[in-house]
Amino acid sequence: MKRIIFAVLGAISLSACAQAPQGAAAKAEPAAKADAVAAAPTGKAPEVKAGSAEARAVEAIRQLNPNITIDKVGAAPMPGFREALAQGQVVYISDDGRYLFLPGSGGALFDTQAKKNLSEDSLAAMRKDLLKTIPASERIVFAPANPKHTVTIFTDVECGYCRKLHSEIAEYNRQGIAVEYLAFPRMGIGSEDYKKMVSVWCAADRRKALTDAKAEHSVPSKDCKNTVTQQYNVGQRAGLTGTPMILTAEGVQVGGYVPPAQLRQTLDKIAADSKPAAAGAKPSAAVAAPVGGL
């Protein structure tokens, strides 16, 4: 995921301080009449005509994060949108300034007025249902006595960030976070990586076997009836692009590797933001910027 995604997600999910662009929606301007605006000096927005679609595009990005460098704004190849170059990434903004689309791998559609990641809302609901298909007995759990939060983490024994996360598992527990591991052998079904994870899931003490495997200690080779393949398939369907992948109980992705204290902060924020749901409001999906991953 790219720098602007980090910045946008941070603005929406963690600070929740963005305000909607002002002004009524305007009609789309023909692409042929909307020449690209010249590049702006570093750290400044391009010069745009007040009230234009370009001005609304700049404002939409600035509302999400005022520190993003916007180099150019102009016509998009699709009607009804402006195209902006911001911090090395192409961004598309609807001409009324409300919707912002980040294309490419991990792309997402944001409602800048509602301050919501619309793509994540849909994905979260799907992930929550997918996770229900994996029995609790098939998860490797590390939990404190009275957890404040529970996360599901798709993990791999060969992944460096997965090993780093697990080396801090005691601190995650001290932060009140219960971790439920699911298997995602990133080398694929039938690989040596896969066989190691099957051995872990077939071990008499799965917690010890997983800890040993991640510490590069020998784990006895075993085979048995297991759900590693099922877990791997669920991870793929859940949109996993790298390990580790951390999901809340509601299916919201909160990053790759995230340090314990930062993860607790993020989970507290999501829980606080979801409280209005009891009064009938739908909570917005929040996503923390991955610190590390595959």
Side-chain angles (χ1 to χ4, degrees):
M1 300 179 76
K2 299 179 177 66
R3 292 186 299 271
I4 190 171
I5 299 180
F6 297 164
V8 170
L9 293 179
I12 293 177
S13 308
L14 303 181
S15 66
C17 61
Q19 297 178 355
Q22 301 298 313
K27 293 181 180 180
E29 297 176 13
K33 295 183 180 181
D35 296 329
V37 179
T42 302
K44 296 182 180 180
E47 292 184 7
V48 292
K49 182 179 179 181
S52 67
E54 284 78 16
R56 285 186 290 273
V58 169
E59 179 66 9
I61 296 173
R62 286 285 186 235
Q63 290 287 354
L64 292 175
N65 190 317
N67 298 317
I68 291 177
T69 298
I70 305 169
D71 295 306
K72 188 169 66 175
V73 181
M78 51 189 172
F81 282 81
R82 299 295 97 181
E83 180 181 272
L85 296 179
Q87 294 191 194
Q89 183 172 344
V90 176
V91 185
Y92 296 104
I93 308 95
S94 60
D95 285 342
D96 61 5
R98 176 162 185 172
Y99 299 101
L100 185 149
F101 178 64
L102 299 166
S105 177
L109 177 66
F110 295 90
D111 183 328
T112 64
Q113 290 184 13
K115 306 169 187 67
K116 292 176 65 176
N117 180 338
L118 301 179
S119 301
E120 181 62 25
D121 280 353
S122 298
L123 285 170
M126 178 193 69
R127 293 189 193 113
K128 183 178 179 180
D129 289 339
L130 284 171
L131 292 178
K132 290 177 182 177
T133 66
I134 302 174
S137 61
E138 289 301 307
R139 301 160 188 248
I140 300 180
V141 181
F142 290 80
N146 298 294
K148 298 295 184 182
H149 303 286
T150 298
V151 295
T152 298
I153 301 180
F154 282 92
T155 193
D156 174 52
V157 296
E158 299 289 352
C159 155
Y161 276 109
C162 297
R163 289 173 174 174
K164 178 172 175 58
L165 188 154
H166 191 66
S167 72
E168 301 170 4
I169 197 68
E171 182 57 29
Y172 286 99
N173 288 170
R174 277 192 289 272
Q175 290 286 341
I177 302 169
V179 172
E180 297 186 351
Y181 280 123
L182 294 180
F184 192 87
R186 58 181 182 163
M187 300 303 177
I189 304 300
S191 65
E192 287 303 311
D193 184 21
Y194 170 84
K195 292 174 183 177
K196 286 182 183 179
M197 299 204 78
V198 167
S199 294
V200 168
W201 255 258
C202 290
D205 186 342
R206 291 176 178 172
R207 284 162 48 100
K208 182 179 184 303
L210 183 63
T211 299
D212 286 345
K214 290 192 175 189
E216 298 187 78
H217 296 159
S218 177
V219 175
S221 179
K222 290 188 177 182
D223 196 4
C224 65
K225 184 178 180 181
N226 65 83
T227 60
V228 171
T229 297
Q230 179 194 5
Q231 293 175 45
Y232 177 83
N233 290 336
V234 166
Q236 287 190 314
R237 293 177 63 191
L240 188 152
T241 57
T243 51
M245 180 190 198
I246 306 175
L247 302 175
T248 70
E250 296 302 312
V252 176
Q253 183 178 359
V254 290
Y257 166 76
V258 182
Q262 183 180 331
L263 182 58
R264 174 60 191 263
Q265 265 188 335
T266 300
L267 295 172
D268 284 347
K269 175 65 176 172
I270 292 173
D273 287 347
S274 69
K275 286 182 179 179
K282 182 179 178 181
S284 62
V287 183
V291 176
L294 183 62

